[in-house]
Amino acid sequence: MPTSQEHAAHDDAAAEEQIISDVAKYGFHVVVVPSDGYSPGFAYTVGLFKTYGYPELICFSLNQDLMHSMFWTAKELFDQQPQPDLALGYPDFIGDFDVRFLRVAKANYGDYFGYGRWFYKGWDFPALQIVWPDKQALFPWEEGFTASWKFGQPLLDRNHDFKFREEHGLNVYTTRQVLEGQPVLHVVHDDEGNWQFLSNAQYDDNDLRMVALIEIVAQDPTVNELFQLNYGWQAQREAIGGKWQKEAFEDEEDGAE
């Protein structure tokens, strides 16, 4: 099972060998990525499209064995119905509850199908998300869905322009300089879950501002690249479009104690 960091790099030679072996033996392999404490854990298939012509599958936040079982159930469903109806619920996946399928948008492939890209040498494969309901049989897009479960199951057919696992109106810290147009080059996600979006300009307390997260994303959509930045981490880059360098964040006040 790769860690979230190994999955992001998707260059684990042992994992690649296991994928090739499992696809040859079973028809597909299941990659399991555990939660890092902030982003939800998930699992996805590699090989369904190559072996059977079926879409690859992904599912979030359930027990590893259950997700593996659900992928086999989906494969058996596809044997009978290669093109599932995305408007219908399907039983027999998770107890007495139906599940639904969503078509994964290509804009979301890069965040979740790392070994899929390696296996297919690109993104030329279809993918579906298996979405599960809450205990009231409500799905995440339905009114009344359990609020505390909302961000445990990102919906990969949408939200391409706002990937963060918080509400649009979440208050975040920034500076006057950023709001006046300076680029966001330093992002902090502290241990308490607070976000800071800063430029490289010097600032003091009088420059601090609090705005809605959606305002920062609208001003600079490239900060979406950090939507999985874990608690207690920070990221810096030299310019917009540059590679983010991530490291653990230590609050200066904490370090001084």
Side-chain angles (χ1 to χ4, degrees):
M1 179 188 302
T3 65
S4 55
Q5 291 82 8
E6 290 169 342
H7 179 259
H10 51 79
D11 60 358
D12 184 324
E16 292 171 356
E17 291 179 6
Q18 189 65 54
I19 290 170
I20 293 171
S21 174
D22 285 353
V23 172
K25 186 174 183 180
Y26 304 111
F28 66 96
H29 172 84
V30 175
V31 178
V32 179
V33 182
S35 171
D36 61 8
Y38 173 60
S39 295
F42 61 97
Y44 65 93
T45 64
V46 177
L48 278 175
F49 183 58
K50 175 180 173 60
T51 305
Y52 307 105
Y54 301 157
E56 301 297 349
L57 297 167
I58 187 169
C59 188
F60 288 87
S61 295
L62 297 178
N63 174 276
Q64 174 182 341
D65 292 337
L66 177 57
M67 289 190 286
H68 202 287
S69 173
M70 291 168 70
F71 293 152
W72 275 108
T73 301
K75 186 268 178 187
E76 293 168 358
L77 170 67
F78 296 163
D79 287 342
Q80 304 300 318
Q81 186 181 348
Q83 298 294 329
D85 190 330
L86 303 188
L88 297 179
Y90 288 88
D92 303 323
F93 278 77
I94 179 170
D96 296 328
F97 296 99
D98 287 359
V99 301
R100 293 276 296 273
F101 291 99
L102 298 180
R103 184 172 290 107
V104 179
K106 291 283 187 179
N108 287 321
Y109 275 36
D111 298 318
Y112 300 103
F113 289 93
Y115 284 107
R117 180 183 185 183
W118 162 78
F119 186 78
Y120 290 108
K121 297 180 173 57
W123 302 120
D124 191 18
F125 58 91
L128 295 177
Q129 179 181 358
I130 301 177
V131 182
W132 41 266
D134 65 11
K135 294 181 179 180
Q136 290 74 46
L138 296 172
F139 287 94
W141 53 83
E142 295 181 310
E143 185 176 355
F145 180 80
T146 303
S148 61
W149 292 4
K150 179 177 180 180
F151 296 109
Q153 189 174 201
L155 303 178
L156 303 186
D157 66 336
R158 64 198 75 182
N159 301 329
H160 320 143
D161 299 325
F162 186 90
K163 295 186 176 183
F164 285 87
R165 305 193 193 287
E166 283 91 4
E167 300 291 351
H168 287 201
L170 177 76
N171 286 329
V172 300
Y173 295 100
T174 189
T175 64
R176 171 184 57 80
Q177 291 88 337
V178 168
L179 297 179
E180 290 177 352
Q182 292 197 12
V184 174
L185 302 178
H186 182 197
V187 176
V188 175
H189 191 199
D190 69 25
D191 289 326
E192 297 180 354
N194 298 308
W195 289 92
Q196 302 174 36
F197 295 88
L198 311 169
S199 68
N200 278 350
Q202 294 292 322
Y203 65 91
D204 58 32
D205 289 348
N206 292 325
D207 294 316
L208 291 175
R209 302 288 188 272
M210 183 173 285
V211 300
L213 178 56
I214 186 62
E215 294 183 45
I216 296 294
V217 175
Q219 180 172 321
D220 180 3
T222 67
V223 299
N224 268 313
E225 297 166 1
L226 296 177
F227 79 100
Q228 299 189 88
L229 189 67
N230 202 2
Y231 297 122
W233 281 74
Q234 63 182 339
Q236 299 184 68
R237 61 183 176 179
E238 294 184 357
I240 291 178
K243 181 177 177 60
W244 292 101
Q245 302 296 325
K246 302 174 186 177
E247 62 181 1
F249 171 71
E250 181 177 343
D251 190 288
E252 293 182 359
E253 294 182 1
D254 292 341
E257 293 179 358

